[in-house]
């Protein structure tokens, strides 16, 4: 079915950096060649939305509709779309998989050359958009914009999922949980019996803990400056809990003493360049692997070369290293078969109108994931 009509719907628009989002009526254009228009059912709020609003603050990335951790139902499809039909349950992907570029064809990476991030990582969206509000084009953050009742996405950035999947939970696989889980199992390649440390216990970090546990780690250190996060970390398999503020020496030294020289794998899930350095320094020499998962592009990081000369590996992970279109439907099945947890990440549920409250909960460290119910 091709529908040529413009849809007017409610969306939370971020007109400028740091200001609260405004509920607006926006116009959503019909899907063009290769595009899909989606009715968004539910979305999580991820720290990367906050990063764009409060930390990145690049004015060229505004006005925009944030949100990139959603799930919904296909409303209509543009010309040339054959793999999707109205009514299909889908998850929008902030990282596409075109299947044809040299990166998609290479098993070593999940990057896709056709993704917005390959050219416009600073504005965090492609300048082409299907949204207008008050006669102005509104950018589609990360190509997804799930803080809207409807969105239009290229088919290379949409995953079709199981008809029975509960959208208000599997939406979390659109970002945070796949990211943290994959960073541990794919990028770090956590091995059975290993000792791991996860820095930052938001949904991404907790999912990394879950990945370490599923990969067979024998000891998992959960590190956060907010001790309220420790109880949840236990649920996902953490065995030891450290608050860096409670020690008068660097936490890397504390970890080295507790582990006879450092951990085998560390994962930075905060988005702080100092913590990135600490996570590297917390690894054991010879074979320690440290993975950057936290998102930041505003500052350089530093480390002493001897950290790497001594045999450690420093790497980064986007969307957990998962090839997005192929992997997300499988992760949905993993959840439905009980192999991975999702419900335990959800601490709050709200409506789209309450999006600023949801953002504030994350800003003040009071939630793990708040799910916004966008439509029935
Ligand atoms: P969150 O805000 O829920 O969690 C961050 C956690 O870090 C909080 O528990 C906070 O208390 C803790 N923290 C803050 N400063 C700390 C410090 N100095 N030491 C230890 N812990 C500290 O965020 P989230 O949604 O879980 O996202 C985490 C990070 O992952 C963000 O930077 C986000 O942008 C990034 N991210 C990356 C990708 C990717 O593909 N690489 C995808 C999604 C999210
Ligand atoms: Zn995210």
């Amino acid at each position: 079915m091709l529908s040529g009509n413009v849809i007017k719907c409610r969306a939370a628009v971020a007109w400028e950096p740091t200001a609260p989002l405004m509920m607006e009526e926006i116009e959503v254009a019909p899907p063009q060649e290769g595009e899909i228009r989606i009715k968004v059912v539910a979305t999580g709020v991820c720290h990367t939305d906050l990063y764009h609003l409060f930390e990145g603050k690049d004015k060229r990335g505004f006005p925009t509709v944030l949100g990139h951790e959603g799930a919904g139902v296909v409303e209509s499809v543009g010309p040339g779309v054959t793999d999707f039909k109205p009514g299909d349950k889908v998850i929008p992907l902030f990282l596409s998989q075109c299947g044809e570029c040299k990166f998609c064809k290479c098993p070593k990476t999940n990057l896709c050359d056709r993704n917005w991030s390959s050219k416009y990582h600073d504005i965090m969206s492609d300048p082409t958009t299907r949204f207008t509000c008050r006669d102005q084009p509104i950018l589609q953050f990360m190509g997804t914009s799930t803080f809207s009742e409807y969105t239009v996405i290229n088919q290379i950035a949409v995953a079709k999922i199981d008809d029975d999947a509960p959208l208000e939970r599997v939406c979390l696989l659109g970002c945070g949980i796949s990211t943290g889980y994959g960073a541990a199992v794919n990028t770090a390649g956590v091995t059975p019996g290993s000792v791991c440390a996860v820095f930052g216990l938001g949904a991404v970090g907790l999912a990394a803990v879950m990945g370490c546990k599923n990969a067979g780690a024998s000891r998992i250190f959960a590190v956060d400056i907010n001790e309220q996060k420790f109880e949840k970390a236990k649920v996902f398999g953490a065995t030891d809990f450290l608050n860096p503020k409670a020690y008068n020496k660097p936490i890397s030294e504390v970890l080295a003493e507790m582990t006879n020289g450092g951990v085998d794998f560390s994962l930075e899930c905060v988005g702080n360049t100092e913590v990135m350095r600490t996570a590297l320094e917390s690894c054991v020499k010879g074979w320690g692997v440290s993975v950057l998962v936290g998102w930041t592009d505003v500052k350089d990081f530093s480390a002493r070369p001897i950290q790497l000369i001594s045999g450690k590996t420093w790497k980064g992970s986007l969307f957990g290293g998962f090839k997005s279109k192929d992997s997300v439907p499988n992760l949905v099945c993993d959840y439905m078969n009980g192999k991975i947890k999702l419900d335990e990440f959800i601490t709050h549920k709200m409506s789209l109108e309450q999006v600023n409250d949801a953002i504030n909960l994350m800003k003040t460290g009071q939630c793990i994931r708040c799910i916004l119910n966008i439509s029935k």
Side-chain angles (χ1 to χ4, degrees), residues 38-237:
I38 296 165
K39 180 181 183 185
V40 181
V41 171
T43 180
V45 177
C46 166
H47 200 108
T48 309
D49 300 306
L50 276 69
Y51 167 80
H52 190 67
L53 197 57
F54 301 113
E55 296 157 45
K57 296 193 287 192
D58 192 323
K59 283 212 152 133
R60 293 168 304 156
F62 292 84
T64 189
V65 172
L66 299 170
H68 61 283
E69 196 175 76
V73 175
V74 174
E75 179 268 338
S76 61
V77 301
V81 174
T82 52
D83 295 346
F84 295 86
K85 58 178 189 316
D88 283 349
K89 285 188 176 177
V90 291
I91 290 183
L93 304 166
F94 73 83
L95 176 60
S96 59
Q97 185 187 352
C98 74
E100 282 159 17
C101 71
K102 72 171 181 185
F103 298 95
C104 279
K105 283 187 174 155
C106 175
K108 290 186 205 171
T109 181
N110 63 341
L111 298 188
C112 169
D113 218 16
R114 286 181 66 193
N115 203 50
W116 57 269
S117 60
S118 60
K119 268 201 237 151
Y120 305 105
H121 66 271
D122 40 4
I123 68 166
M124 297 192 88
S125 75
D126 192 298
T128 0
T129 173
R130 304 283 166 256
F131 290 175
T132 0
C133 179
R134 302 173 189 265
D135 298 323
Q136 281 185 60
I138 307 292
L139 293 172
Q140 291 184 248
F141 179 67
M142 293 182 114
T144 51
S145 288
T146 56
F147 295 171
S148 172
E149 288 174 316
Y150 287 87
T151 187
V152 178
I153 305 182
N154 193 300
Q155 61 181 342
I156 63 172
V158 182
K160 185 155 133 178
I161 59 164
D162 194 291
D163 284 337
D164 295 324
L167 297 177
E168 70 293 351
R169 276 169 266 164
V170 298
C171 59
L172 293 178
L173 291 167
C175 183
I177 312 313
S178 307
T179 294
Y181 185 73
V185 303
N186 300 328
T187 316
V190 170
T191 46
S194 60
V195 177
C196 302
V198 176
F199 292 77
L201 304 172
V204 175
L206 293 172
V209 169
M210 177 167 77
C212 294
K213 163 99 179 160
N214 282 15
S218 60
R219 201 170 176 192
I220 305 167
F221 288 88
V223 186
D224 202 301
I225 52 174
N226 178 352
E227 294 189 9
Q228 287 173 357
K229 306 284 177 114
F230 292 163
E231 206 181 298
K232 272 280 173 185
K234 205 171 196 172
V235 172
F236 291 103

